[in-house]
Amino acid sequence: MDPCPYVRILVGSLGLKFSGGGAGTTPPSTYYCKIKLKNDLTQFADISSIADGDVNQVNDQVQACFNLKKSEFDKLVDKSNVLKIEVYSGRRSNPICGFGSSKLLGVVTVGLDSEAVSGGGNRGCSVVRNGWVGIGDRSSKNPVQLHLSIRVERDPRFVFEFDGEPECSPQVFQVNGNLRQAVFTCKFSFRNNRDQKLRSDSSLSETKNSKIWLRSMRNDKEKPVKERKGWSITIHDLSGSPVAMASMVTPFVPSNGTDSVCSSNPGAWLILRPGHSTWKPWGRLEAWRESKGKDHLGYRFELLPDAAVSGLDPVTLSNSTISSKTGGKFTIDMSNGSSPNSTPNGSFGSGSGSGSDFEIGSWAHLMYQGFVMSSSVGGGGRCSKPEVEVGVQHVTCTEDAAAFVALAAAMDLSMDACQPFSRKLRKELRHDGEESIF
């Protein structure tokens, strides 16, 4: 099935210059801008003042990014002044208490053209604007100019939808518009850690050691341990062959004196891909409950190097938060200069979305560039059927797509694993006999 057409609007290379004074003669100030796309979220980006307007000092980074379906983009371009950039001096208002000391310097509005992504060229990429533009009162003694770069590019993606909640072992469909085609099946299961313990101890002599072990088992029954462990979800292709797996390798347990999983002791999953008659780790996902904002799930996803290659360290591809009440999107976006505080739509500064810690030229950046993937994550207590988007350039085989689907399932299940332990999990997520524990 063909991929779905998507469009990215990228804003970057932001800088300010002042004439007849300004940055060169006044104390250093902070500057930022609000970047607004009609019918979408507002994004924020910091701006540096450029001495003497030297364009070589402009930081060539993507500082804001909007991801749209092609149909959504086509509706937007019918309107004038689609993109608005408001430039402010001072500090942004605190979203909680509302305090701030910012002053509006000026506004830039930009129109977009449907022809921007209709041609061939470099992945259908079109530069809408690149250079200096005046803002504010041009008759002022100290006119201000903003340097910016805006480009629009095609970004086709494969889209997958779970036909049910991951713990219910659903099918996964590839979708394109009204077309749906089954491509994977999921199998949720528990690893029986107690049976593994029994097997490992079966070779011990039936003397003092076995009596200690039996006494320990009785103590376990008397004092149930609050932990969520042993979950796994295996992705199979339509022939029944396993093509990816997410396995909970570190239990989710409450920190001392609390009812929640904390960031100092997160639960963790390994995302595995089939190797030579075995499973090979591909990535590691950690999740916890935020201590400051208890209605948020914190997470970190690391890409793991091949064990056969020495000297390489794991690389964090995503590190942020998602609302545990309303849900959101888990995103991996390795656009040049991506901020560690980006939001589900690639917006910057609100603290939920893709934050990438990679370095340009790192081994991970050689493998993954631009938009990599995103998946929807349902809020606590809601029916969640993840939708997964994967950049076409990152899927060369079935196992590639399956690994992202397994990661999406682990992210969704982490929302349940991080629920306060005073709450009872749904029956599909409880081991036999655990109903009294949670």
Side-chain angles (χ1 to χ4, degrees), residues 105 108 110 176 194 369:
L105 296 180
V108 177
V110 180
N176 188 344
R194 185 161 292 177
Q369 297 183 25

PDB file of all heavy atoms in Angstrom, residues 105 108 110 176 194 369:
ATOM      1  N   LEU A 105       7.793  43.424  19.735  1.00  0.00           N
ATOM      2  CA  LEU A 105       8.623  44.247  18.864  1.00  0.00           C
ATOM      3  C   LEU A 105       8.040  44.378  17.463  1.00  0.00           C
ATOM      4  O   LEU A 105       8.217  45.411  16.806  1.00  0.00           O
ATOM      5  CB  LEU A 105      10.039  43.654  18.762  1.00  0.00           C
ATOM      6  CG  LEU A 105      10.861  43.602  20.047  1.00  0.00           C
ATOM      7  CD1 LEU A 105      12.237  42.995  19.762  1.00  0.00           C
ATOM      8  CD2 LEU A 105      11.011  44.992  20.651  1.00  0.00           C
ATOM      9  N   VAL A 108       5.518  39.408  11.679  1.00  0.00           N
ATOM     10  CA  VAL A 108       5.732  39.037  10.283  1.00  0.00           C
ATOM     11  C   VAL A 108       4.659  38.026   9.898  1.00  0.00           C
ATOM     12  O   VAL A 108       4.412  37.066  10.633  1.00  0.00           O
ATOM     13  CB  VAL A 108       7.127  38.408  10.064  1.00  0.00           C
ATOM     14  CG1 VAL A 108       7.300  37.961   8.616  1.00  0.00           C
ATOM     15  CG2 VAL A 108       8.221  39.383  10.452  1.00  0.00           C
ATOM     16  N   VAL A 110       3.287  35.458   6.724  1.00  0.00           N
ATOM     17  CA  VAL A 110       3.786  34.785   5.523  1.00  0.00           C
ATOM     18  C   VAL A 110       2.670  33.947   4.921  1.00  0.00           C
ATOM     19  O   VAL A 110       1.990  33.193   5.627  1.00  0.00           O
ATOM     20  CB  VAL A 110       4.995  33.881   5.862  1.00  0.00           C
ATOM     21  CG1 VAL A 110       5.521  33.183   4.609  1.00  0.00           C
ATOM     22  CG2 VAL A 110       6.100  34.686   6.534  1.00  0.00           C
ATOM     23  N   ASN A 176      -4.491   4.186   4.554  1.00  0.00           N
ATOM     24  CA  ASN A 176      -4.242   5.287   3.634  1.00  0.00           C
ATOM     25  C   ASN A 176      -5.606   5.793   3.180  1.00  0.00           C
ATOM     26  O   ASN A 176      -6.249   5.179   2.325  1.00  0.00           O
ATOM     27  CB  ASN A 176      -3.398   4.844   2.440  1.00  0.00           C
ATOM     28  CG  ASN A 176      -2.961   6.012   1.578  1.00  0.00           C
ATOM     29  OD1 ASN A 176      -3.499   7.110   1.678  1.00  0.00           O
ATOM     30  ND2 ASN A 176      -1.970   5.790   0.722  1.00  0.00           N
ATOM     31  N   ARG A 194       7.705 -16.129  38.655  1.00  0.00           N
ATOM     32  CA  ARG A 194       7.733 -17.079  39.763  1.00  0.00           C
ATOM     33  C   ARG A 194       8.060 -18.482  39.261  1.00  0.00           C
ATOM     34  O   ARG A 194       8.791 -19.234  39.881  1.00  0.00           O
ATOM     35  CB  ARG A 194       6.389 -17.062  40.487  1.00  0.00           C
ATOM     36  CG  ARG A 194       6.353 -17.916  41.723  1.00  0.00           C
ATOM     37  CD  ARG A 194       5.205 -17.502  42.616  1.00  0.00           C
ATOM     38  NE  ARG A 194       5.435 -16.190  43.179  1.00  0.00           N
ATOM     39  CZ  ARG A 194       4.542 -15.565  43.957  1.00  0.00           C
ATOM     40  NH1 ARG A 194       3.385 -16.133  44.238  1.00  0.00           N
ATOM     41  NH2 ARG A 194       4.814 -14.370  44.442  1.00  0.00           N
ATOM     42  N   GLN A 369      17.250  10.599  10.282  1.00  0.00           N
ATOM     43  CA  GLN A 369      17.247  12.034  10.069  1.00  0.00           C
ATOM     44  C   GLN A 369      15.819  12.502   9.809  1.00  0.00           C
ATOM     45  O   GLN A 369      14.983  11.748   9.332  1.00  0.00           O
ATOM     46  CB  GLN A 369      18.148  12.422   8.898  1.00  0.00           C
ATOM     47  CG  GLN A 369      19.616  12.078   9.117  1.00  0.00           C
ATOM     48  CD  GLN A 369      20.505  12.540   7.977  1.00  0.00           C
ATOM     49  OE1 GLN A 369      20.152  13.479   7.258  1.00  0.00           O
ATOM     50  NE2 GLN A 369      21.637  11.897   7.805  1.00  0.00           N
TER      51      GLN A 369
END
